[in-house]
Structures are given as structure tokens and as C-alpha cells.
Amino acid sequence: MSQASSNIFSVSVKAANTPQPVRPAWMPPAGYFADIPMRNTPNDVVPPIYTRDNYLMNNPFVQWGGSAILRDYSELGAQVFYSAGHESAGGLPNFQFSLICDFSSLTWRTANIPLRSNNSNTFVNGYAPDGTPYCPHSYLGLQEMPKAWGGAAQGTLVAFFWAGSVWPNRIRLLDVSRTSLGYSTMSTRQPQNADPTMIRFSPTSTGGNYPITVQDEQRQGWWAAVAGPVSYTLFVSKTGEITQYPALGGNLINASMVLCPSLNLLIAIDGGYASGPNASASYRTLHIRNLANGQVSQNRTSGTVPSVTLGYDGATSPNFHRMDIMGLQWVEELGCIVGLDQVDQPPTLVKLTPPASNPATNPWTWSKTVLQHWPSDTNGQATIQKAEYGYWSKFRWVPSLQAFVVCGSSSRKPQVIRLT
């Protein structure tokens, strides 16, 4: 193991300080969900440089993307969405903006709008003629850079890589306090790689198309992986220094990744086929790196594995488990991994709970929790809302609220989900 690896694994990890939750009047009791009473909608804040239509403001929700919670944005923080791409013709604009749901003012607003509308066929190496970056599908590639790490005063949105493109991997930084522009590119260096100026998941390859990232509070940076066959899992420091580690899993299939600070474990949760000619045990597999000593192990899960969908083999019966679309995240205050399964109707909350001992080697257990709509949420949504093409990271834990939030459409209010 390299010296850099030894240093990072030697970091002492302590349980996170639990913030005192804020209980605004719209917060439901434990075990309930409710609408967040926003005072406007995303359709009320269409950037003027774009043609108004009914689909424009749905881009951040439906274009295979996610969000991040920026704790510095306001007293209660904000959920920031950023995803676009998939234009049907080169002469159509790429919708370049971030969309912000402020839990303090209960208002939506946009930020990071370019000065003019940029058609998708005008981007060169990922940048428009005005220097603004192309906004792609974001998948699981959005995270927070807090002010304490050198982010902007209201926090910085970190967007990892350019999924589904031939452009070199870059990490884009968005100062969401800026109504227009506010973009920059993180200066990165990957010294273990043959070309330290590139971000690579193999010696000479950028790797797969789906970014999978998780924030590391103790080490002040982010862990990054991609779907598909790769050689490395990367740790990206807040300073841009990138350290390579042997890839967790090596060939993740529609996977997710979480960090468990109190357990000192980094876990890749694999997906895959449960039946049919391509069936394997991958969909029950956890790839685990012990961050205290660098040891890697494989583990299994018990219970009913959620998120079963049609796979890629042409089968007409659901046989493939998608871990990536559930918004899975470890919540220190709850002591388990939590996500939403919208294959169920209505969507249900799922947990992946560690064993009482030896979580790196003993099986973890899948379970589901039944939640109720808060009766005081008059005229609110009676079920947890679905998200077209999956939640990805649109389902997020908000530390200030000690609750989850989710929003999957520009025409629906976000919802808050409280377990405790």
C-alpha cells in the first residue's frame, strides 16, 4: 500500500455530532410523511434565457440525476438539483442551471444560469463558447463542499464527471449564491496515475459512465467510483489531490456506495440478476473496505432484496435489482442504510441494517418500513411520490431537520419523511 493510502486509512473516525433538529410547524411526527409547504414552484422561476415550456423545469428531476444538501445555504439548508442532457437534436439548448429548494424561506430559485442559451452542438470538450460547462445526467455524482472546506459562503455544489460522454472526467464546482455563472473546475492531481493531470479509474481509461460518490466528513473529501469494470476506487480530497485504491468490486453493476463513519467502513452495494441466464450472487453482495486498516472483504445480505426491475437481457419478468436508483445512504443517527423503493406501489422506505457484531463479515439485513401520511397535512400527497427514471440522490437526509426529503417532479411539492 502506498504512503498516501496509509495516511488516509490511519484517520481516526469518531461518531458524528448529532445536530439539534429544528422542528418547523410543517414537520410531521415520527413515522409520518407530509408535503413541504413551498410558496412557489420550479415552474415559477424559469430562467428567462430559455423558452418557457412544461418540460424545461422537469429536467433536474427526470434526466437521470440527483441532488445534494447544502447545509450552509440557510438556517435549515437547501436541496440543490442539477441534471440535464439528452437533447433530441444538436440545435436544442443544454439546460444549464441549478435548481434550489430552500427549506428556510420555503421558496424555489435558480442559480448558475449562463448568460445566453447554449445549443448542445456548440460544446467543445465539455464547455460552451462562453466557458460554461455542459450539464449532463448527474446520477449519483452530486455532493456538497461546505464553507468550512473552502466552499462558497452558502456552500458549493460539486458535480463529478461527465457521464455518457467522450469528454475527460472533470469535477465542476457551482457557487449557488450566484444567480448567473459561478462555475469553476476543481484543480485535481492524481499522482499515482501515468498522467497525473487526468482523472482515471484504470491506468489508461476514465472508466464507466455512471458516477457513484459519497462524502467523507472526517477526511474532508469524497469517495468516487463508476459502474463497469475498473481498477480503482478514488478518494478526492477537498484540495483536489486524488488517491487511488484497488476498486471495490471491480465491476459494479447498477451499484450504490455508502460510508459508515462509526463503523469505519466504505461499502459498495452491488446490483444484478436474481434469476435467468445471467443470474449471480452479485445482487446480494456488499464490497467492504475497512478504513481503519485497508482490508477488503465481501459480504452478503439477507432478507428480501428491494428494487427488482426488468434487466438488460430481454426477459419480460422482473429479475434485476437496481441499487443505484433508490438513493441509498448511511444515516449515522439511525445506524443503518436507508433508501426508497419505487418499484413498490406506493413507494416504500427500505433499510439495510448491520449485524450486531462484525459488520465487515456478517450479513446485513434488508427490511421495509411502513410510513403514514400525516393527517394534519391537509390536501397533501397521500403517498410518497415516485421519480421518473429513479430517485438517484433526489432522496436525501437533511441533518438540520433530522428527516429525509424527496422531490421527483417540478409539478409536485417536495415531501419530508420523518422516522424518529
Side-chain angles (χ1 to χ4, degrees), residues 174-190:
L174 284 70
D175 176 355
V176 298
S177 70
R178 297 278 303 275
T179 300
S180 62
L181 305 180
Y183 297 98
S184 60
T185 300
M186 178 179 283
S187 178
T188 60
R189 179 172 171 79
Q190 190 169 328

Side-chain angles (χ1 to χ4, degrees), residues 30-31 37 41 56 66 73 118 199 208 217 237 239 242 275 289 339 364 375 387:
T41 74
L56 167 61
Y73 189 83
N118 293 301
I199 301 175
E217 297 286 342
S237 167
T239 65
I242 297 176
S275 62
R289 173 168 285 121
W364 293 49

